[in-house]
Amino acid sequence: MSVAEEIEKREILNAYKGLLRSVKTRSKEDTKLIRKAFDVSLDAHKDMRRKSGEPYIFHPIAVARICAEEIGLGTTSVICALLHDTVEDTYLKLEDIEAMFGKKVATVIDGLTKISGVIDHTESIQAENFRKILLTLSEDIRVILIKLADRLHNMRTLVSMKREKQLKIASETLFLYAPLAHRLGLYNIKTELEDLSLKFQDPETYEEISTKLKKTQAVRSRFIRTFSSPIKRALDELGFKYEIKGRPKSTFSIYNKIKTKHVPFEEIYDLFAIRIVLDVEPQKEKAECWRVYSVVTDFYQPNPDRLRDWISMPKSNGYESLHTTVMSPSGKWVEVQIRSKRMDEIAEKGLAAHWKYKESNNYENNLENWITKIREVLENPDPNALEFIDDFKLNLFAEEIVVFTPKGEIKSLPAGATSLDFAFEIHTKVGAQCIGAKVNGKLVPLSHELKSGDQVEIITSNKQKPKEEWLKYVVTGKAKSKIKSVLKDEKRIIAADGKEKLEKKLESMKAENNHQNLREIMNYYKYNSEIDLLHDIALDLVNLDKLNKFNVEKGKLKHPQTIINSNRDFEKLLKERGKTEEMLVIGEDMDQFDYKLSPCCNPIPGDEVFGFITIHDGIKIHKTSCPNAVELMSNYAYRIVKARWTGQQKIAFLAGIKITGLDGVGIVNKITQIISSELNVNMRSISFDSNDGVFEGNIMVYVHDTNHLTSLLQKLKSVNGVISVIRIDHHS
Ligand code: MN
């Protein structure tokens, strides 16, 4: 072994020893297992090096250490973290892991390998992948915690990666991991992830803010000293055991403020919270926190609108604290956070820290609730992936409200939730039969938006049934998916009548009731779904008499093809069919002429268009500005027919949008938010590419007409950082 190898080996062992020391409570058996995992991982990764050149094993050791030290996880997680990359990157198989470490460890490693498959090896996070990640999350929460530790270490060592890779990883971190860390209450990790993301996405701004923060450190310290000295004196006199900390805002949160509130650094650098952490027995913590509140407000005038009591009612990520904002002598508002040591540790390290304090049970319940909610949404048999992202994001990012049942039970809901959401939160049946609610004793409709503190009583009737428009009244994923599934069942029942009607019709025509004929009929009436067609037949929305013009050959339906070869043929046909207008009316003449919107220019209502009679494929509608139009018109004038859009359009049309801009923090998020909050706009696909700080996004949306599209383009243009927004013709 060379000297260099000797040194490397010693460094690896040192890193391992550091890890072992960070696992605070462990039995002899635990130590043995951790050692075994270390040896297995060391051997499996022995020929691998990281981009930085160091032996790969440093990475799993570091991840394991983050799990133990910064998240407070135990032996199982440390073992899993040590092994987290083995199945994906080395000769080891899941069966090997299971044989050596048992089923539990194998399950977690399997989850980690799968997540890595969906996130790390795809170009951009797609909705469907997002869903998979969360499905895995619901199996074992350790999977997500270890993945967060993995991501944190990768972010800390991101400097050795290529620029494009850095940008991809940093934006993903901001989009997915930081919110997850936040939701799980891992405050420190969330802050570090955000700061590191900013550092790589916008290095200049990051440098600028952190340099200014360092320079102004002394001013802040002086302020904290003066501000807290009278409080300290009083607390000492009263015999409190406490610590006062002044924590400046993170680089990222300052950056965010500068950007969203458009204020200079100088106006916000001294925004920070003073935190008073009490060393107190759990039974007394609430009362003691309020005593301290009373001391603080003896010296400083509180803002009555800014009192937050998260001790009596913890946030659903487990956060407990008492916040007040008071006026300092220099005329600045200062937030004061009062909490016990236990609460402080949970606030910074999240759920794992809580396991140490078993006597209080609120937190685990809340976390369980959250996971259960996600599971409910995921279990919806037919979730539309994009809608799911919206639902999830809503539940993830939105502030929550807390409301009460008539018996005083607490329910937390996302802000914007209505009485109908609440009804579904209570029980699916209560939701399905809800006819109204009483909020604080007053009668309100289903769509009534709830506020924190409301007491809600649901009024039901067994005659009530969920309706289509209910989907507009609810915001929770749970209520949405339940309503949809009831509506779908109902549609099926109605469709059964339609099926019978159609069968009779086919019988009378001597046509067979088979799949092929059904296809033909669906094509003719332009339906994509069988259920929809049968449903509409049942309600007489489909005129079955039109089938009479079909020929039947040996039980097979045949559409009577009229050959149209020129605009003269077409005009003749128009007259035959009693049309007064000499043009094709798109949207009205659907069942009479065979026409399609051309995919080359992808026209939408409002566009100026013409029809082109093709030889085999009916009439194709092009925009007059289509790049192919000049050639078609000049060479085949006799095949051109006039066309216009019908006045009423209920159909949505697919249009492409291309956005370029500066790759700022959260910009993708903002863009998708605008699109999904626009009424009636649905995204079909979205992809973003980023290169050297400039991103390019392609989005396909469903819109009604050009006006609709133009207003969407305008809104997107106004997003900070967006350089251009244009409509594109081709489906990418
Ligand atoms: Mn890793």
Side-chain angles (χ1 to χ4, degrees):
M1 200 180 277
S2 72
V3 178
E5 280 169 334
E6 246 346 304
I7 291 172
E8 213 166 71
K9 205 180 150 197
R10 209 173 312 137
E11 281 173 344
I12 292 172
L13 273 175
N14 277 339
Y16 169 70
K17 279 183 201 149
L19 162 66
L20 214 49
R21 272 195 301 274
S22 71
V23 188
K24 288 272 152 45
T25 45
R26 72 189 132 86
S27 62
K28 274 217 174 94
E29 190 53 32
D30 288 342
T31 312
K32 253 190 229 158
L33 279 170
I34 295 173
R35 176 73 203 202
K36 188 170 152 195
F38 167 67
D39 287 336
V40 167
S41 181
L42 182 62
D43 186 66
H45 291 298
K46 66 176 179 293
D47 299 322
M48 294 166 62
R49 284 184 181 267
R50 303 196 82 210
K51 282 262 151 53
S52 60
E54 64 174 10
Y56 195 84
I57 188 69
F58 281 114
H59 168 65
I61 293 176
V63 173
R65 190 160 172 174
I66 292 171
C67 287
E69 218 164 47
E70 298 177 51
I71 312 182
L73 295 171
T75 304
T76 309
S77 305
V78 167
I79 292 169
C80 294
L82 280 169
L83 299 167
H84 81 272
D85 280 330
T86 54
V87 172
E88 201 192 350
D89 298 335
T90 76
Y91 57 83
L92 283 176
K93 294 205 175 64
L94 202 59
E95 296 88 83
D96 304 329
I97 301 288
E98 186 168 342
M100 286 186 280
F101 298 95
K103 183 106 193 113
K104 195 174 220 167
V105 171
T107 312
V108 175
I109 301 292
D110 189 32
L112 285 163
T113 311
K114 278 187 198 139
I115 288 199
S116 173
V118 291
I119 313 184
D120 299 345
H121 301 298
T122 42
E123 280 311 303
S124 59
I125 306 174
Q126 296 288 322
E128 183 54 25
N129 296 339
F130 214 84
R131 208 185 127 242
K132 281 188 201 145
I133 296 163
L134 293 160
L135 268 171
T136 328
L137 157 79
S138 55
E139 278 168 30
D140 192 325
I141 190 75
R142 286 189 193 89
V143 173
I144 273 315
L145 294 172
I146 296 170
K147 188 67 205 170
L148 275 169
D150 182 31
R151 177 51 62 117
L152 181 58
H153 186 243
N154 286 336
M155 286 299 291
R156 283 176 182 169
T157 52
L158 197 57
V159 76
S160 37
M161 296 294 236
K162 273 198 226 130
R163 181 78 186 132
E164 306 100 72
K165 206 74 210 241
Q166 286 178 347
L167 285 172
K168 177 196 177 241
I169 292 176
S171 55
E172 245 173 43
T173 300
L174 221 44
F175 181 70
L176 179 61
Y177 291 94
L180 260 183
H182 176 66
R183 203 60 184 78
L184 293 171
L186 299 157
Y187 176 79
N188 286 353
I189 290 184
K190 172 210 162 218
T191 309
E192 190 176 347
L193 286 175
E194 284 174 344
D195 279 359
L196 286 168
S197 301
L198 178 61
K199 184 174 162 187
F200 287 99
Q201 285 199 326
D202 192 347
E204 254 172 68
T205 315
Y206 176 83
E207 256 330 297
E208 196 186 316
I209 296 174
S210 21
T211 313
K212 282 182 176 170
L213 267 178
K214 260 178 236 144
K215 273 194 196 149
T216 49
Q217 177 59 43
V219 184
R220 277 193 303 277
S221 305
R222 204 177 318 124
F223 181 88
I224 293 166
R225 265 201 311 278
T226 355
F227 181 87
S228 43
S229 75
I231 300 175
K232 271 186 171 167
R233 238 175 288 127
L235 291 180
D236 288 341
E237 252 166 55
L238 291 166
F240 275 101
K241 268 193 264 166
Y242 65 93
E243 199 188 336
I244 297 191
K245 309 181 198 175
R247 183 193 271 275
K249 293 222 169 270
S250 71
T251 311
F252 180 80
S253 66
I254 289 182
Y255 166 84
N256 231 359
K257 262 231 162 71
I258 292 178
K259 224 177 147 182
T260 55
K261 301 252 158 76
H262 304 287
V263 288
F265 176 87
E266 285 62 33
E267 276 176 36
I268 46 172
Y269 75 95
D270 54 353
L271 276 181
F272 53 91
I274 301 260
R275 187 176 303 159
I276 306 176
V277 180
L278 303 178
D279 194 352
V280 61
E281 291 166 54
Q283 311 87 275
K284 290 192 186 155
E285 53 188 12
K286 184 174 172 184
E288 296 289 86
C289 286
W290 281 105
R291 273 182 75 202
V292 172
Y293 170 82
S294 134
V295 168
V296 170
T297 50
D298 278 347
F299 295 101
Y300 303 112
Q301 190 65 38
N303 180 339
D305 295 336
R306 299 286 298 277
L307 177 64
R308 298 282 179 274
D309 174 12
W310 283 306
I311 294 180
S312 313
M313 246 185 249
K315 287 192 188 178
S316 72
N317 70 5
Y319 186 82
E320 292 171 73
S321 192
L322 185 60
H323 290 192
T324 177
T325 300
V326 299
M327 182 57 82
S328 69
S330 57
K332 266 193 187 347
W333 290 110
V334 176
E335 182 177 283
V336 181
Q337 307 174 344
I338 304 162
R339 54 173 86 149
S340 70
K341 239 170 132 173
R342 177 191 67 85
M343 297 172 190
D344 194 46
E345 201 171 335
I346 292 167
E348 297 200 335
K349 283 192 187 169
L351 74 135
H354 190 87
W355 293 336
K356 289 189 209 156
Y357 303 95
K358 289 221 174 80
E359 57 271 20
S360 45
N361 50 27
N362 249 344
Y363 184 70
E364 256 153 292
N365 281 344
N366 281 334
L367 184 79
E368 256 322 298
N369 281 346
W370 181 61
I371 292 172
T372 314
K373 260 180 216 159
I374 289 182
R375 218 176 274 145
E376 276 165 4
V377 177
L378 294 170
E379 276 163 6
N380 176 9
D382 181 26
N384 175 318
L386 275 170
E387 257 175 56
F388 172 76
I389 260 208
D390 285 347
D391 293 348
F392 174 72
K393 271 206 315 212
L394 180 79
N395 290 320
L396 187 65
F397 296 119
E399 286 287 317
E400 318 190 314
I401 57 165
V402 184
V403 294
F404 298 91
T405 67
K407 283 184 188 151
E409 229 180 289
I410 293 177
K411 298 273 169 199
S412 60
L413 291 166
T418 59
S419 23
L420 191 55
D421 281 305
F422 178 85
F424 276 100
E425 188 62 35
I426 300 285
H427 195 277
T428 307
K429 205 174 158 195
V430 176
Q433 303 193 334
C434 178
I435 51 170
K438 269 187 185 167
V439 170
N440 307 324
K442 243 175 76 188
L443 214 55
V444 298
L446 299 175
S447 55
H448 178 83
E449 193 176 319
L450 300 173
K451 287 195 302 294
S452 256
D454 281 348
Q455 187 158 40
V456 191
E457 185 186 343
I458 295 299
I459 306 164
T460 59
S461 152
N462 52 17
K463 295 207 176 65
Q464 179 69 301
K465 271 189 302 188
K467 306 189 170 51
E468 193 93 36
E469 70 254 31
W470 281 19
L471 290 170
K472 285 187 248 160
Y473 305 156
V474 296
V475 298
T476 56
K478 180 179 183 174
K480 259 185 204 158
S481 65
K482 296 289 180 200
I483 295 170
K484 276 184 201 158
S485 90
V486 175
L487 289 175
K488 211 186 264 166
D489 288 347
E490 201 140 285
K491 209 169 202 178
R492 260 193 209 114
I493 296 168
I494 296 172
D497 292 343
K499 195 168 180 200
E500 224 170 276
K501 256 190 201 170
L502 183 64
E503 269 165 20
K504 277 194 195 126
K505 177 74 191 169
L506 288 172
E507 211 178 314
S508 76
M509 291 173 68
K510 304 217 160 44
E512 269 171 47
N513 178 22
N514 60 20
H515 191 70
Q516 204 182 354
N517 281 347
L518 189 64
R519 275 273 133 212
E520 189 72 28
I521 296 168
M522 278 167 64
N523 276 342
Y524 174 66
Y525 288 109
K526 311 271 184 218
Y527 277 85
N528 289 323
S529 125
E530 197 179 314
I531 295 273
D532 286 347
L533 172 72
L534 297 175
H535 172 264
D536 288 0
I537 289 177
L539 300 179
D540 284 329
L541 297 170
V542 170
N543 181 3
L544 285 182
D545 290 342
K546 286 190 181 170
L547 287 181
N548 293 340
K549 66 180 170 200
F550 275 70
N551 301 321
V552 183
E553 278 170 34
K554 289 185 194 146
K556 241 171 110 181
L557 284 177
K558 280 252 159 92
H559 192 275
Q561 291 282 330
T562 321
I563 297 158
I564 313 176
N565 252 328
S566 68
N567 41 22
R568 255 188 233 144
D569 295 347
F570 180 72
E571 278 158 28
K572 227 161 77 191
L573 209 63
L574 281 171
K575 268 186 207 130
E576 273 173 33
R577 302 213 169 147
K579 299 273 169 191
T580 44
E581 231 177 334
E582 276 194 357
M583 59 171 73
L584 179 69
V585 182
I586 307 164
E588 270 174 20
D589 298 343
M590 276 194 170
D591 46 335
Q592 304 203 14
F593 301 105
D594 175 20
Y595 67 84
K596 286 192 190 81
L597 302 179
S598 174
C600 68
C601 55
N602 203 23
I604 62 172
D607 283 337
E608 228 177 284
V609 288
F610 66 93
F612 181 76
I613 301 166
T614 65
I615 298 175
H616 298 297
D617 205 13
I619 301 171
K620 288 253 169 87
I621 309 295
H622 293 265
K623 289 199 287 199
T624 38
S625 63
C626 172
N628 299 324
V630 179
E631 205 225 314
L632 295 178
M633 288 191 191
S634 54
N635 292 335
Y636 304 98
Y638 67 97
R639 289 185 173 273
I640 305 290
V641 296
K642 283 190 223 156
R644 70 163 176 86
W645 303 92
T646 176
Q648 297 149 319
Q649 280 302 335
K650 280 191 190 146
I651 323 150
F653 290 85
L654 198 56
I657 299 175
K658 181 179 184 161
I659 302 186
T660 49
L662 297 174
D663 198 356
V665 174
I667 197 153
V668 173
N669 200 2
K670 250 178 252 157
I671 290 168
T672 51
Q673 235 165 34
I674 285 181
I675 295 176
S676 52
S677 68
E678 267 289 274
L679 213 59
N680 297 327
V681 178
N682 279 310
M683 265 186 282
R684 191 181 81 164
S685 66
I686 176 166
S687 68
F688 278 89
D689 269 325
S690 145
N691 223 329
D692 277 337
V694 174
F695 77 86
E696 191 185 295
N698 284 302
I699 308 172
M700 300 300 297
V701 292
Y702 287 103
V703 292
H704 296 294
D705 52 33
T706 40
N707 287 340
H708 192 200
L709 183 63
T710 312
S711 92
L712 180 64
L713 295 185
Q714 288 299 349
K715 285 204 179 124
L716 290 174
K717 266 182 203 156
S718 68
V719 173
N720 223 344
V722 166
I723 299 169
S724 81
V725 184
I726 52 166
R727 173 175 168 194
I728 46 172
D729 289 338
H730 295 272
H731 298 233
S732 48

